[in-house]
Amino acid sequence: MIRIDGRQVDENRHTEMDLHFTKHPEGSVLISIGDTKVICNATIEDRVPPFLRGKGKGWITAEYAMLPRATAQRTIRESSKGKVTGRTMEIQRLIGRALRTVVDLSVIGEKTVWIDCDVIQADGGTRTAAITGAFTAMCLAFEKALLNEKITAWPVTDFLAAISVGIDDSKQVLLDLCYEEDAKADVDMNVVMTGSGALVEIQGTGEEAVFTRSELTTMLDVAEKGIKELILLEKQKLGQTSDRILSLKGGQSS
Amino acid sequence: MIRIDGRQVDENRHTEMDLHFTKHPEGSVLISIGDTKVICNATIEDRVPPFLRGKGKGWITAEYAMLPRATAQRTIRESSKGKVTGRTMEIQRLIGRALRTVVDLSVIGEKTVWIDCDVIQADGGTRTAAITGAFTAMCLAFEKALLNEKITAWPVTDFLAAISVGIDDSKQVLLDLCYEEDAKADVDMNVVMTGSGALVEIQGTGEEAVFTRSELTTMLDVAEKGIKELILLEKQKLGQTSDRILSLKGGQSS
Amino acid sequence: MIRIDGRQVDENRHTEMDLHFTKHPEGSVLISIGDTKVICNATIEDRVPPFLRGKGKGWITAEYAMLPRATAQRTIRESSKGKVTGRTMEIQRLIGRALRTVVDLSVIGEKTVWIDCDVIQADGGTRTAAITGAFTAMCLAFEKALLNEKITAWPVTDFLAAISVGIDDSKQVLLDLCYEEDAKADVDMNVVMTGSGALVEIQGTGEEAVFTRSELTTMLDVAEKGIKELILLEKQKLGQTSDRILSLKGGQSS
Amino acid sequence: MIRIDGRQVDENRHTEMDLHFTKHPEGSVLISIGDTKVICNATIEDRVPPFLRGKGKGWITAEYAMLPRATAQRTIRESSKGKVTGRTMEIQRLIGRALRTVVDLSVIGEKTVWIDCDVIQADGGTRTAAITGAFTAMCLAFEKALLNEKITAWPVTDFLAAISVGIDDSKQVLLDLCYEEDAKADVDMNVVMTGSGALVEIQGTGEEAVFTRSELTTMLDVAEKGIKELILLEKQKLGQTSDRILSLKGGQSS
Amino acid sequence: MIRIDGRQVDENRHTEMDLHFTKHPEGSVLISIGDTKVICNATIEDRVPPFLRGKGKGWITAEYAMLPRATAQRTIRESSKGKVTGRTMEIQRLIGRALRTVVDLSVIGEKTVWIDCDVIQADGGTRTAAITGAFTAMCLAFEKALLNEKITAWPVTDFLAAISVGIDDSKQVLLDLCYEEDAKADVDMNVVMTGSGALVEIQGTGEEAVFTRSELTTMLDVAEKGIKELILLEKQKLGQTSDRILSLKGGQSS
Amino acid sequence: MIRIDGRQVDENRHTEMDLHFTKHPEGSVLISIGDTKVICNATIEDRVPPFLRGKGKGWITAEYAMLPRATAQRTIRESSKGKVTGRTMEIQRLIGRALRTVVDLSVIGEKTVWIDCDVIQADGGTRTAAITGAFTAMCLAFEKALLNEKITAWPVTDFLAAISVGIDDSKQVLLDLCYEEDAKADVDMNVVMTGSGALVEIQGTGEEAVFTRSELTTMLDVAEKGIKELILLEKQKLGQTSDRILSLKGGQSS
């Protein structure tokens, strides 16, 4: 079976990461996965939210937004509506939670890492692209913080990437769905994994459909393949920063 | 291993459902799972949201809230804050999505089913208790609508229930976590399944921890056991309404 | 004249209070007056609002809400609307003000008592039921605080209860209106009194109607009868806590 | 006993009404009661709120606000806070309810009367001054509407005015409390009456104090005296418009 | 050419300022320019916004609002909408910025001057009337602060006033537009100048029209004439306070 | 005098426009002026705001936002704050007003052009860059609408561009201020002009400073030079679309 954009069923879209994309943030990455483009910026702030004050630990939090015309139809700006949608909140919580899994928060001390993911063009998979881009931007920010002695040891313990998988109406499992595939999929699942191959988060949902344990297994196999390729790209892009991560996780390859 | 409340690792807490709990709603259920108590009310309204108008299909949507003292510490009322938290939105979207999977929305016509889940006492697993109670309340509402000829055919195609599973810090998989277990768990997963044993939704997350494919398999096995018991309770409580569901799904047992 | 539910004109509905209704709050009461059911929870917090800081006095504040299906038609959740209605604010202010009248705030020190009144089923008189239930829940919370030495002396100086009275379109004064009577009443009045028979608050309103001084007198007579019965119930339910109140107010009977 | 401003205990402050105060509104009155000054504007709009559409009846609704420096300390503007306080809502609801009592809403047809009460200087009794001023502004607006044939018959069935009464710490009942008296009063009551001497609304509250039935009687006697004087002023100011009201209520004097 | 209200093209409307208009504010002015009437109140508060704390400098900030019936059609109250419009924000920022230009903020120390401009009747030019009235109210407040030794030196370095100019559809430049002229103007410009004749702010806009450099020159000439007359009025009204300003700016006449 | 970035005092920064920057919008431009980068997207919607319905005319409206890390310090996202700042509103209103000046709104019929300006990197002059970029994006959208026969005639009557000018503390007039210059400037002015050299909008403000008529003249001269260069770039980039504009405005060169 050949997909609408000519890919194999277990093939990622072409992925690029443009590091240091804008000049102000401590870490800045433009990630492009097919036609999905997300600016991921990382900021390190010298304080933590109230619930962590005085505990000697840091925090990582994420915000996510789309430009109104990231999509085919213009969507209303959340600042104009005066509130953030449930979908946005779900994605923000997911990104923050995933990143916290691979960072030793006691190493960074009472600092907050703000991750801003702004989708400038959407074609499916924006939340998983945001996680992969945000991980890379966060590593750049920590590299700079280490250089400037704002942190004293390397805090990232493993690589992290995310991808979507789905099942179409002919029961075919597909990797890295573009928007058109996603809109027609029976089942949609987002998977976040580490460089060591451990699961960080799975969110599988059959909107008006269901899926079997066996289909779940196939989806996870395919997702793992896609994530390994993304982590390879992270390693290439991050260069010597990759070595810091590898040394912390005992040097084992993903 | 014996758990803090004396249960086996794969044992549900004692579960009860008190049908017709309050007098006004079309369907009303108080579900108690251990010390977690949720009032689930179903309302059928004669219109649909704008995006569905004129399409001949219905909609199911859910709202979820906690009384301020459902918890050990008082939480601020969301109406006082003037906005709904991300956690609440996530849960509301999950409940609505799960219920829509087992209802033929074209059978109910242009009607909206509102599901209100109000937690009056919380001890872990409120969102999964809400799904199980909401499913039952929704069936009561449809039974009444059928009787009053507001709908002309039975729309629910399968049973539906949900449970939490987790992994504690000794790597033990536990079924149906109470609050104290949940607060200490490394991995937390919510599973929604149908009476036929198909997966509707899985959300597994390792907050500051990860999990392996093998641990995922064990968690799903245990969740399936717990959900089967909940669906058995639904069948007993719903009586003749159960037969309508069974006949639609071809009479196969879960 | 016999009323729609068979009561005499000056007869309260059947009233029950279920103490310790939920497990977390310091004081928890489910009050049922006819088909009106309100969960009243009391929380004692170790701080006061800014305007009282450093003055050595406590504060009592109330919040009131209805479940969406407490009523025959579903009402929109105030957290979804993002704001609290004028009716809710009026009721919240009334409950707090009434309770503060019978508590010596300097005895409790710089603490805030939060009263949460959540109507799970409404059939008229929810605000007066809330006051009576809230008083009882507050006493339970103070009893526990005294036991735990969070307060050092008993602060409640008198009993407190509330009831509605009204005038129907045949000029008949009625005690404790149910919803159907309330909707048709020309005049509606809420009365709050102490165990000593003093007035704490009266709010009488003739929506598109008026009333005479003489009708006011009859309404107050009837309200006093109803309130005395509610205070008798409070005494029975509160047991030894009642004695603390009686000793503070000089032992005189209401 | 002589009061802080030299008045007798049952004496109103000097009261003036400046009719046609601003040029745009259909009815505009500046009411001054002592140092309390409220601009009351009435607007007639050719539509009703959704719940009244198609019923052939009109509606009257009020809004109330204070300039930030109407008070000795600057209060934050409600538009800056983004929400209206409970106190404001209570007052707005009271004004609208009171005015609706003396207007035959079926005579005005599907129109809404908006009453805007803006306090430019506050010295106690702003809500009762607002009711008296609003009644007068509303009469001016109806007079103009009758002239312009926007309404075809006179709709106001009686005069209406309001006053505050209170009890000070020496148990003395006082009429028309200024701010300094109000701040120290044990009991505070607002009374709204018609030209025929009927009660429209009473709101009596003993903040951290209580009152007896006998004190209530004295307060009502004194309030009635004060209101009669205000209605006399309305009659003088409204001139021929007064005759329309008198003829509708059967010509009886208040 | 004679204008709709009989004025010359370069003639201001009749202008009055009523000082000490309400009793509570430190400075209070009712400014009337033709039928435009704005209450301008100044409050001095003993703290500064967070961004200025510890810097030894003060701040001046303004709020602006219209009564709902300041206009021919009732406008919705911003407190009811729950947010302030863009137009209001623009005007507030303009007033604050203009006043800060003629005040030595280091002289007043860590204090905030709040300027409240409330339009009670609008007929064009409300924002420029507000600036002129606000300047005068602010001077009154500083005079009082100097008397009470809340400030130790005079901080206002020059006079300040503002006026509107415009170009009508026959290319005629007009000074001080009333509402009817403003609504039909092709170009509208607001000019703020000091007593020394220096420009503080110009905002010229051709809504659906444009203007030439030469027309700009004519507009500025006319505006300067109008502003000089307003500053003359300020000097007369402020009396000895004027002398303080003149001595600070070196005594030169405007 | 040489500026901090080596420019002459009357020299624009290097300016580029990247047309068709993202794929979904009808018109999409990334404008870079020095280090200031703004994505300008234009959307044409088939309806107008309520106040224009049935009048046969179109509307143009703009929204403006900054990514949180467009700036050196992270700014809080307006969607998180739940409201748009005064600065943002001012800029949005300016952009919409300016564009409407050069479009014949009756030619486009009852359509709304939405302009979204999102600053991804800020270094001074973001609002003027947004106007120039928005004009170009709007032309692309109209070109596409003409091709697709959504509009039947060309509606843009002239070119439009904007630039900032300022005066530094040595009284030197500077063209196109970068952030560092802007932060230190005594006077800041934004100028919008057409291709014919007419003024559309001038906003000059001396925050804590003033300026003379003569300085205003110099600022306008310099601004005109800068704007002419920007309009030249628009002509080059827009190619045949430029000819449509030129033919409408009578072919005269700017």
Side-chain angles (χ1 to χ4, degrees), chain A residues 88-130:
Chain A
T88 294
M89 286 205 186
E90 242 176 66
I91 294 174
Q92 295 184 157
R93 288 158 55 89
L94 169 62
I95 299 170
R97 214 159 51 216
L99 293 178
R100 289 193 298 271
T101 309
V102 291
V103 175
D104 185 337
L105 295 168
S106 60
V107 166
I108 63 174
E110 297 208 357
K111 290 182 175 56
T112 297
V113 182
W114 288 87
I115 302 292
D116 289 292
C117 301
D118 286 88
V119 180
I120 60 174
Q121 190 170 279
D123 188 26
T126 62
R127 83 185 66 188
T128 47

Side-chain angles (χ1 to χ4, degrees), chain C residues 167-173 186 210-211 215:
Chain C
I167 305 179
D168 71 10
D169 54 8
S170 66
K171 296 286 173 190
Q172 177 62 55
V173 169
D186 273 6
V210 295
F211 54 107
E215 286 169 331

Side-chain angles (χ1 to χ4, degrees), chain E residues 3-5 7 174 176-185:
Chain E
R3 292 159 74 176
I4 49 176
D5 53 8
R7 280 185 289 154
L174 301 174
D176 186 20
L177 283 66
C178 67
Y179 177 76
E180 192 176 335
E181 290 172 334
D182 185 67
K184 289 188 300 193

